[in-house]
Amino acid sequence: MTDLSNSPIGKPLERREDVRFLTGAGQYTDDVVLPGQTYAYFLRSPYAHARIKSIDVSKARAAQGVVAVYTGADIAESKIGGLPCGWLIHSKDGSPMKEPPHPIIAHDRVRHVGDQVALVVAETYLQAKDAAELIDVDYEDLPAVVDITTVEQAAALVHDDVPGNVCYDWGHGDKAAVDAAFAKATRVSSLSFVNNRLAPNAMEPRAANAQYTRHDDSYTLYVATQNPHVERLLMCAFVLGIPESKMRVIAPDVGGGFGSKIFLYAEETALVWATKRVGRPIKWTAERSESFLTDAHGRDHATTVEMAMDDQGNFLAMRVNTVANMGAYLSTFASCVPTILYATLLAGQYKTPAVYCDVKAVFTNTAPVDAYRGAGRPEATYVVERIVEQCARDMKMDPAEIRRRNFITQFPYATPVGLTYDTGDYNAHLTRAIELADVAGFPARRAASEAKGLKRGLGYSCYIEACGIAPSNIAGALGARAGLFEAGEVRVHPTGTVTVFTGSHSHGQGHETTFAQVVAAKLGIPVENVEIVHGDTGRILFGMGTYGSRSLSVGGTAIVKAVDKIIAKGKKIAAHLLEAADTDIEFENGEFKVAGTDKKVAFGNVALTAYVPHNYPLDKLEPGLNENAFYDPTNFTYPSGTYVCEVEVDPETGRVKVDKFTAVDDFGNIINPMIVEGQVHGGIGQGLGQAMLEGVVYDIESGQLLTGSYQDYAMPRADDLPSFVVDHTCTPCTHNPLGVKGCGEAGAIGSPPAFINALTDALGVRDVPMPATPERVWRAIHGQA
């Protein structure tokens, strides 16, 4: 393991990248203006489901400033493929999932409001937008499929070749063992609920700027993405048929993603296709209304869960049945979210002997659904922690006690749903959270609230997540159509400064600071001497990008392995300079030393020698000090934690105040505690937003999006949230050299069930649907559906 006592590991250094962001010097995709720049606007379907009978674009093509207009017929004529799905799931009967075409511009039918119908390219954005209004589309309105609870009985089909609108019918776990456990159980608790659909709402909307260079037949795409190499691979290999060597993808500063910028989208793909035809660069930046309509949404599960117990509250088995909404098309990783990333986490922190989960994925006439902060792990945690809380109530047990009784305490631990937890101490963070939340003082606070005519409740959530999806061979056997490794290159310059090239991508995580801290600590040099480069397929090794809290545990480990190679070569150079055997050379705090002597040489001198090899054994050592490494993890990492939420409710209005929120997480070793705390704060804010306020709503009959702006889609604001109490325990990960686990999604995973458990405790009801708006809370209080 790396010596983490070596500065600057564990120090709350300020983020270096924030200087440019706070001074307006950030460079986002929309800031990129290329010579001969043109602008794109997409005409979108106003119908959720309709047949395109005809499109007349003649007036648009003749409009002022218009360079070109393209429709689905042009795409079909060019024999361009549809957008691919990156994960193959098989149904219980062994049949592969249904993968209907996902066109980049709709040709014969539109399948959700916002589906692309035409692309207009003009000299200015407003000219393109005005021209789009001149396009005459004759639609034949078709029945829309919206309600996932009745989708199989719907008369309409989203895709004609998908019977019952079912993408796959998948199962995971030992069904026979679960059925047997339920047959002998003396107590069974159950719940049914919906995990509400969410819009990602990154601060920066999606954007792309595509340029074709005729002299070498190459393309450059600037795009707001979380994984440039994956974007290039999918677009080139599966859609456009362009050699990867002829495509450069650059993701400059990206203003948030939360998963929504992992995927290959139609818009940037259409721009790359069109730029060669117009011979000029084309830029598109989504309007916020387009983001609501077309960004991949998250969650949207309808679930029933049952827990079998004995008379002492020991968990015997859990049974889960989920219907998951895929939307109108399969987005890039949509298929694995309610399966591989969901059902495998249903053991939670508990030693439940048997777990079985049925998942039916269905198509509807709504925007595609894919990974959103947590991606399957929040949905799993919500299932587990809601039913565990209900078990405690049904058994009339303390919620903390029933958790302790069922916690896993021996590691490594193989769960009944296919994962092996390498380490953890769940009692430790539960105990610390109870202490910090002052659970002992809760009865007095509840009495004080009741004296004011208010209701008060307290809820727990003990989450676990799996981060750094791995290893590639196992993931491939489970259906992944890509590797899950990461790459790092470390380039030491003659002066001893260092440039690191990473396949991970930063869009708010603080990589330019955290990765620099790791490299500086390993090499014993100042953080300021380390530069981090990411987001450009023309400069960095093939990497898989950033998602699933993988950056430090996977990307950071690749960098560490490259640094280890630097040190190994440095020892050989130092041995030559110090006239010693390289096996006698030690490296510590930026100096190469001969063991047992005072002879030493600084890292900077070794770097200079590598590039100025005078009197250098060129027959044994090549010049230069530059190394790279790829890292494919042997297992997931498993962050865990305990969240305690305390709410106060006004029964007259249904308004809920989050009075206290305590989060104690085990992220393993922590490189920068300030950045980690910021990640936890943001995640809790998003999770409470889902639980209290946010929810994408479609009209059940027409399929129209009813929450298409911030007037209808409520985001949490500062006055909705308390000052969070955040702390950590630590059990280092056992299988990466940094001992880190990942922290980016935890807050969004653990907070929704903690809030709903607190709210239902306050009201004395089994469930309040998310988002628990004042109206829904008022109805729950007064017994109205």
Side-chain angles (χ1 to χ4, degrees), residues 164-186:
N165 297 304
V166 175
C167 176
Y168 55 76
D169 185 0
W170 181 84
H172 186 64
D174 189 336
K175 187 176 186 300
V178 168
D179 290 344
F182 270 86
K184 69 178 184 180
T186 56

Side-chain angles (χ1 to χ4, degrees), residues 15 115-116 193 229 403 415 428 477 492 524 533 594 604 622 716 748 770:
R15 300 195 337 163
D115 218 350
Q116 297 80 224
F193 42 73
H229 274 108
R403 287 173 166 85
T415 74
V492 180
V533 177
V594 179
E622 63 183 26
M770 295 192 295

Side-chain angles (χ1 to χ4, degrees), residues 350-391:
Y350 309 106
K351 55 188 177 185
T352 312
V355 178
Y356 182 75
C357 179
D358 272 315
V359 177
K360 190 168 289 185
V362 297
F363 290 110
T364 61
N365 292 116
T366 62
V369 179
D370 209 316
Y372 171 74
R373 197 170 191 172
R377 283 74 58 85
E379 296 93 318
T381 296
Y382 194 79
V383 170
V384 174
E385 289 306 294
R386 289 288 291 115
I387 192 60
V388 167
E389 197 85 0
Q390 188 60 48
C391 288

Side-chain angles (χ1 to χ4, degrees), residues 303-318:
T303 295
T304 297
V305 55
E306 301 170 278
M307 181 74 84
M309 297 173 286
D310 64 17
D311 287 332
Q312 286 71 49
N314 294 302
F315 301 157
L316 304 178
M318 186 168 72

Side-chain angles (χ1 to χ4, degrees), residues 15 43 262 313-314 335 356 368 384 410 417 475 549 555 564 602 623 693:
R15 300 195 337 163
L43 179 68
I262 300 172
N314 294 302
S335 56
Y356 182 75
V384 174
Q410 301 287 325
V417 280
S549 302
D564 287 340
L693 300 162

